[in-house]
Amino acid sequence: MATLSSFSSHPNPNPDPTFISPMLQPYLEQQRMQPDPPPEEESPYNAVSDAQARDSSANDSGSTLPNPNHNPHARPGPSPIKLLHVSFNQDYGCFASGTERGFRIYNCDPFREIFRRDFEGNGGVGSVEMLFRCNILAFVGGGDSPHYPLNKVMIWDDHQGRCIGELSFRSEVRGVRLRRDRIVVVLEQKIFVYNFANLSLLHQIETIANPKGLCAVSQAAGSFVLVCPGLQKGQVRVEHYAAKKTKFIMAHDSRIACFTLSQDGNLLATASSKGTLVRIFNTHDGSLLQEVRRGADRAEIYSLAFSPTSQWLAVSSDKGTVHVFSLKGTATVSIDQANSSPDSNPSAAISSSSLSFIKGVLPKYFSSEWSVAQFRLPEGTQYSVAFGHQKNTVAILGLDGSFYRCKYDPATGGEMTQLEYHNFLKPEEAF
């Protein structure tokens, strides 16, 4: 059961649904000053003040990020910085990293460090969740010397440079997801959903053992969809809060290893612990829309990502390859088609293997839908993938500190072109 520490700046024993938490005031004031553009048009980290939105090399005077323990001119020490966490924000324009010393925020395109905070002493941050590009972040401690307890979610306001609230639990926090109106906290076998305005508990969900903290939420305004593991192996649970509807989908025979939602919450992509197939479902009725093949051998799927228009799906795995699949036809495939043959390709509009003419003679492997484009990476590192704001580009984050931006040709496919590479733990190492 969660316990909530109230904000000392605004005691509120009787929550008012119209009350806005003071932690959101800078964000909401900025939102009133300018319209909220679509992700493709949003300027980098535009909800943070101008004094904050600068890289560390320019943060030597006039900064609104006071930190007496941080010397902006200091060179990295001889000991390497250990990365504990990397994740994109909700529109994939920024990413956050948690280290054994604190956290850092980066812009993707153009690539640059926006700001960092290093904590004195025990500074391990094992999870950092951004709220789009605003001043609010959610932290969970991590590493050998965690800065915060592992059973707490700390709400950080970087305008004030301090934590302004916390959510405490009886067990370790496995993950946090943020929307503009909700905070979702994932435990080993339970998920809590809170209202962001007054931090009141709205819903709790029981799940099967979920050590990875798997959970996905839609980001479209007014359409809150949440996906989490169900109570059975291979099952996912879909909550449509606006429609007050719950849908269970038996996505795989094996344990669920990874899943993601489209921005509007209409599409769900899932992968199992086998890691050979990725399935795309309609979240409203649970129908299988498409099935694509990453490969023939087992793999651990690290991340899945839809493009903003849901035309493409990117997949990263421990095999060191990022795949991009075409999802043309998923929006037009009928429910009857999807339900007619769940084990075969439901969309004739999608190109499949050139050996599909022998479908039914040889195993299903030969008629699988294969990726349009690929990018090879060094093996042995966990990578997260997302689509860039420039057309037909992909951004890749590695827990080794690597950042890649690549471009794929939707017509000819094949190997992607590397546009840039950075080691964001050592900014001088770029080409």
Side-chain angles (χ1 to χ4, degrees):
M1 180 177 180
T3 59
L4 175 66
S5 70
S6 59
F7 296 99
S8 59
S9 58
H10 198 305
N12 190 22
N14 299 307
D16 177 354
T18 63
F19 163 69
I20 301 299
S21 167
M23 69 179 177
L24 288 179
Q25 289 294 353
Y27 170 65
L28 295 175
E29 289 171 5
Q30 189 276 340
Q31 292 295 307
R32 285 193 291 268
M33 292 173 59
Q34 62 184 39
D36 187 13
E40 293 86 348
E41 300 174 4
E42 194 170 13
S43 60
Y45 217 76
N46 59 15
V48 177
S49 68
D50 290 339
Q52 282 178 289
R54 63 186 65 175
D55 58 30
S56 58
S57 64
N59 198 24
D60 55 352
S61 63
S63 173
T64 60
L65 301 174
N67 186 348
N69 302 309
H70 173 58
N71 181 358
H73 301 291
R75 292 290 183 182
S79 60
I81 298 173
K82 183 180 179 182
L83 263 182
L84 303 177
H85 168 91
V86 289
S87 64
F88 290 98
N89 72 338
Q90 292 87 346
D91 67 7
Y92 305 134
C94 300
F95 70 91
S97 67
T99 76
E100 58 188 359
R101 303 178 187 177
F103 71 93
R104 304 177 182 187
I105 305 295
Y106 300 83
N107 191 69
C108 291
D109 187 17
F111 176 85
R112 66 188 179 98
E113 181 179 305
I114 298 175
F115 66 91
R116 69 171 70 182
R117 280 192 180 274
D118 290 335
F119 299 115
E120 184 178 10
N122 298 334
V125 175
S127 179
V128 188
E129 183 76 2
M130 300 178 67
L131 179 60
F132 287 88
R133 302 158 187 261
C134 81
N135 54 292
I136 302 301
L137 303 164
F139 293 153
V140 181
D144 296 332
S145 301
H147 192 61
Y148 305 108
L150 304 185
N151 67 325
K152 290 186 177 183
V153 176
M154 312 300 295
I155 309 299
W156 177 277
D157 181 350
D158 214 83
H159 279 312
Q160 302 183 45
R162 66 183 183 93
C163 286
I164 55 175
E166 66 183 52
L167 295 161
S168 299
F169 304 88
R170 292 179 178 174
S171 60
E172 290 185 15
V173 175
R174 301 297 187 182
V176 183
R177 303 291 182 270
L178 299 182
R179 280 172 48 98
R180 289 188 171 99
D181 56 352
R182 297 290 184 266
I183 301 175
V184 179
V185 181
V186 186
L187 306 185
E188 178 86 22
Q189 291 186 289
K190 189 169 286 190
I191 291 177
F192 296 92
V193 181
Y194 296 90
N195 185 355
F196 217 144
N198 54 23
L199 294 185
S200 59
L201 179 62
L202 301 178
H203 191 208
Q204 51 184 305
I205 303 170
E206 301 282 344
T207 72
I208 197 171
N210 184 17
K212 290 184 176 181
L214 300 179
C215 183
V217 296
S218 64
Q219 295 299 334
S223 175
F224 180 24
V225 181
L226 180 150
V227 176
C228 63
L231 289 170
Q232 303 177 40
K233 181 180 69 173
Q235 183 188 69
V236 292
R237 173 174 178 160
V238 184
E239 290 288 338
H240 289 271
Y241 285 98
K244 298 181 179 180
K245 179 178 69 174
T246 302
K247 185 71 182 177
F248 290 93
I249 301 174
M250 283 304 303
H252 299 273
D253 294 330
S254 305
R255 174 181 52 84
I256 299 293
C258 190
F259 53 71
T260 191
L261 274 173
S262 58
Q263 290 282 317
D264 57 14
N266 291 330
L267 296 177
L268 166 69
T270 67
S272 75
S273 56
K274 291 183 179 179
T276 54
L277 298 173
V278 177
R279 290 174 174 149
I280 296 90
F281 296 92
N282 180 323
T283 62
H284 297 278
D285 60 14
S287 59
L288 176 66
L289 301 179
Q290 193 172 342
E291 183 179 271
V292 298
R293 181 174 289 275
R294 180 212 55 81
D297 52 342
R298 297 180 72 101
E300 183 177 358
I301 302 296
Y302 288 138
S303 73
L304 301 166
F306 285 101
S307 66
T309 59
S310 299
Q311 183 181 356
W312 307 97
L313 179 74
V315 181
S316 67
S317 74
D318 64 352
K319 296 301 182 182
T321 303
V322 168
H323 295 269
V324 173
F325 296 90
S326 171
L327 299 186
K328 298 172 184 176
T330 54
T332 58
V333 63
S334 70
I335 301 303
D336 291 338
Q337 281 179 294
N339 288 332
S340 63
S341 180
D343 293 327
S344 63
N345 176 11
S347 175
I350 307 294
S351 61
S352 59
S353 167
S354 61
L355 298 177
S356 60
F357 68 93
I358 55 175
K359 181 179 178 181
V361 179
L362 291 177
K364 180 181 167 186
Y365 171 87
F366 291 99
S367 60
S368 296
E369 298 174 42
W370 297 87
S371 59
V372 172
Q374 309 82 33
F375 185 73
R376 314 292 173 181
L377 295 157
E379 293 188 39
T381 295
Q382 183 169 333
Y383 297 98
S384 298
V385 64
F387 285 89
H389 288 185
Q390 294 186 31
K391 191 173 182 181
N392 303 327
T393 61
V394 171
I396 304 167
L397 296 177
L399 267 178
D400 59 353
S402 59
F403 173 87
Y404 298 86
R405 199 163 61 87
C406 312
K407 188 176 181 66
Y408 63 93
D409 188 323
T412 61
E415 292 293 325
M416 296 189 226
T417 301
Q418 180 177 305
L419 300 179
E420 60 182 311
Y421 163 84
H422 301 272
N423 183 330
F424 56 85
L425 297 181
K426 300 176 181 177
E428 69 275 8
E429 293 185 13
F431 60 86

